Amino acid sequence: MFDDASIKDTIGNPTGVYLAEVGDMRLGERNFGSILARGDNDLVMDALGTKFHEQVRCIYIDPPYNNMESYAHYDDRDHHDEWIEKLTRHVKKLKKLLSKDGSIWISIDDYQVHYLKVALDGIFGRENFVSTVIWEHRKTRENRRAFSNNHEYILVYAADANAFKRSRNRLPYDETVKGRFKNPDDDPRGPWQSVSLNVQAGHATKSQFHEIISPSGKKHVPPAGRCWMYTAERVSELVRDNRIWFGKDGQGVPRLKRFLNEIDGGLTPQTLWRADEVGTTDTAKKDVLRLFPGETVFDTPKPEQLIQRIFEISTDPGDLVLDSFLGSGTSASVALKTGRRFIGIERGEHVITHCHHRLKLLADKYGSGIRYFELQGD
Ligand SMILES: C[S@@+](CC[C@H](N)C(=O)[O-])C[C@H]1O[C@@H](n2cnc3c(N)ncnc32)[C@H](O)[C@@H]1O
């Protein structure tokens, strides 16, 4: 139940979260932090009207997968046709909220992924399909089934795939990646990693087939089917600038030195997201258990690291994100911790017992330290 006390308390708190029931939304206000809304997501979308059209940079949703399970907090059994019809109707509403470079990320499993992909192609156009991320959602082996199901999918679409590609962020280098950069020749430019100097010969020009002579006098030609990345003149320049590595003994196949301090923009996101990097359903459950010790376990939370990676790629601090199947409040929590504003929608009682509680804990922990961004005037 929403009671006046919880609403007042939330409005005044430093998270800037506005907790509202459908029909009681303070839309039209110039400034707002974030919205936690309780109600059916379609109804909430209708209540929002056009207020947030083209304002949301990232939508993440984790709808019921229609996997015929019945969970403590929601039921996941529907007729296939109704399930896909309801979800596509809702996604059509969400699409209007996406900013020009905005993207939508939808979690789904093996059972419905292909039907959903076809439906989403119809909504966004195949040209705006960005990727299918594969998330290793469990590390243990499920022995009761023919195949142990260890991954889920996240389908990624953009309002405009080209605009998304231009504006999306790369991922920061972690310590493991940085550790691959060494400095065996004490180069004053710092640690570097060697990469292949030969490439596929498919589109090569004649000038890319030549001999490279190492300082020790050894001659190198590209392997069959390959050519050098650069012309002979360019390779000579790079050798003079100590940017070609011929191995410790100077006899090895030439490779290009890539310096850590010259690589900007971080890592291009890959499509395979390992459990060790972004957590599993089990690690997420344990995190949620710690947050809500007295509550019935929420069965299907996503790990915060998974959502953090999505927000890091698709948004910057201050941007508005939306999750209309909020569950235990994971995405709202990540948004607050990373300085994004959010609209979170959940129809179950757990909007209070889990989402609201989780955000209050955060507010208590960070106090006014939580960044609060105001929406600029219309
Ligand atoms: C898979 S869970 C989301 C879990 C979430 N990602 C997390 O990390 O906790 C799906 C949620 O969607 C909610 N839901 C289902 N249909 C809804 C609807 N029409 N409107 C609002 N919420 C809905 C369910 O109550 C459930 O909490």
Side-chain angles (χ1 to χ4, degrees):
M1 277 288 292
F2 279 112
D3 53 58
D4 283 352
S6 72
I7 293 175
K8 266 191 220 116
D9 179 22
T10 313
I11 291 171
N13 83 25
T15 65
V17 172
Y18 178 51
L19 184 65
E21 285 192 89
V22 180
D24 184 27
M25 281 201 184
R26 293 209 184 162
L27 301 178
E29 280 185 358
R30 284 192 128 209
N31 301 325
F32 83 98
S34 296
I35 294 172
L36 178 60
R38 176 193 199 169
D40 177 87
N41 49 23
D42 266 346
L43 295 178
V44 175
M45 295 304 296
D46 294 344
L48 291 173
T50 58
K51 171 78 183 162
F52 296 106
H53 278 192
E54 299 190 11
Q55 302 288 316
V56 180
R57 187 108 185 267
C58 172
I59 296 173
Y60 168 74
I61 56 169
D62 179 15
Y65 291 176
N66 200 24
N67 56 11
M68 302 304 138
E69 297 280 350
S70 178
Y71 299 113
H73 292 91
Y74 67 100
D75 198 53
D76 208 345
R77 293 170 295 181
D78 213 341
H79 291 293
H80 168 76
D81 292 349
E82 280 175 31
W83 177 84
I84 198 91
E85 198 273 323
K86 266 191 270 178
L87 189 54
T88 46
R89 191 178 59 220
H90 183 61
V91 170
K92 279 180 190 162
K93 293 186 183 196
L94 293 177
K95 183 179 178 225
K96 297 186 179 146
L97 302 190
L98 283 180
S99 64
K100 297 252 184 297
D101 58 356
S103 55
I104 179 164
W105 305 59
I106 305 184
S107 280
I108 196 69
D109 71 4
D110 232 7
Y111 187 60
Q112 293 284 19
V113 62
H114 304 96
Y115 297 97
L116 185 58
K117 167 80 170 61
V118 173
L120 295 174
D121 279 348
I123 298 172
F124 292 92
R126 289 179 76 172
E127 67 282 9
N128 290 317
F129 167 67
V130 177
S131 196
T132 305
V133 170
I134 291 171
W135 167 47
E136 186 188 12
H137 78 119
R138 70 180 285 164
K139 288 180 81 173
T140 52
R141 200 176 291 267
E142 164 64 285
N143 287 314
R144 286 171 300 172
R145 295 176 188 252
F147 278 84
S148 172
N149 191 349
N150 288 61
H151 68 279
E152 287 190 3
Y153 304 94
I154 305 172
L155 294 174
V156 190
Y157 282 80
D160 174 341
N162 291 323
F164 172 77
K165 187 175 168 215
R166 281 194 298 275
S167 72
R168 71 98 175 85
N169 297 314
R170 291 171 198 266
L171 291 168
Y173 289 100
D174 59 25
E175 290 313 310
T176 324
V177 175
K178 281 187 187 156
R180 290 191 208 127
F181 288 76
K182 310 265 185 241
N183 197 349
D185 58 349
D186 282 330
D187 194 306
R189 290 164 289 198
W192 52 271
Q193 191 184 31
S194 78
V195 295
S196 177
L197 190 61
N198 63 63
V199 291
Q200 281 193 359
H203 299 284
T205 59
K206 258 173 91 181
S207 61
Q208 286 172 273
F209 297 91
H210 52 87
E211 227 174 41
I212 297 179
I213 304 174
S214 74
S216 68
K218 188 162 180 194
K219 294 177 178 165
H220 298 273
V221 288
R226 305 194 54 96
C227 64
W228 297 122
M229 198 185 279
Y230 301 115
T231 63
E233 290 81 48
R234 180 74 186 126
V235 171
S236 303
E237 276 170 27
L238 291 167
V239 170
R240 278 196 299 279
D241 196 20
N242 189 23
R243 284 175 182 270
I244 303 291
W245 177 243
F246 293 93
K248 272 201 165 122
D249 59 1
Q251 301 282 323
V253 173
R255 290 175 66 82
L256 186 67
K257 287 164 73 177
R258 184 159 285 163
F259 292 92
L260 183 59
N261 67 8
E262 288 178 0
I263 298 175
D264 54 13
L267 297 165
T268 300
Q270 291 180 322
T271 48
L272 187 58
W273 293 12
R274 295 282 187 190
D276 289 340
E277 296 162 16
V278 293
T280 62
T281 306
D282 267 353
T283 62
K285 264 191 188 174
K286 283 181 190 140
D287 290 344
V288 165
L289 257 177
R290 267 194 295 276
L291 284 171
F292 314 111
E295 290 293 338
T296 316
V297 179
F298 191 83
D299 287 307
T300 56
K302 292 292 182 277
E304 290 205 356
Q305 302 95 306
L306 179 81
I307 308 301
Q308 184 171 342
R309 180 174 284 190
I310 293 172
F311 289 171
E312 268 177 3
I313 294 170
S314 58
T315 63
D316 295 306
D319 282 337
L320 181 59
V321 299
L322 180 144
D323 181 346
S324 48
F325 295 87
L326 197 57
S328 63
T330 313
S331 60
S333 168
V334 173
L336 276 185
K337 288 179 181 171
T338 62
R340 275 76 173 163
R341 294 173 296 126
F342 69 85
I343 299 173
I345 308 168
E346 172 55 57
R347 72 175 175 195
E349 280 292 314
H350 44 292
V351 72
I352 298 294
T353 55
H354 289 65
C355 308
H356 184 215
H357 176 66
R358 194 167 181 172
L359 298 174
K360 259 177 78 72
L361 286 178
L362 267 183
D364 292 346
K365 182 167 175 198
Y366 293 99
S368 54
I370 291 179
R371 282 169 289 179
Y372 168 42
F373 292 86
E374 292 187 341
L375 188 70
Q376 294 308 306
D378 300 330

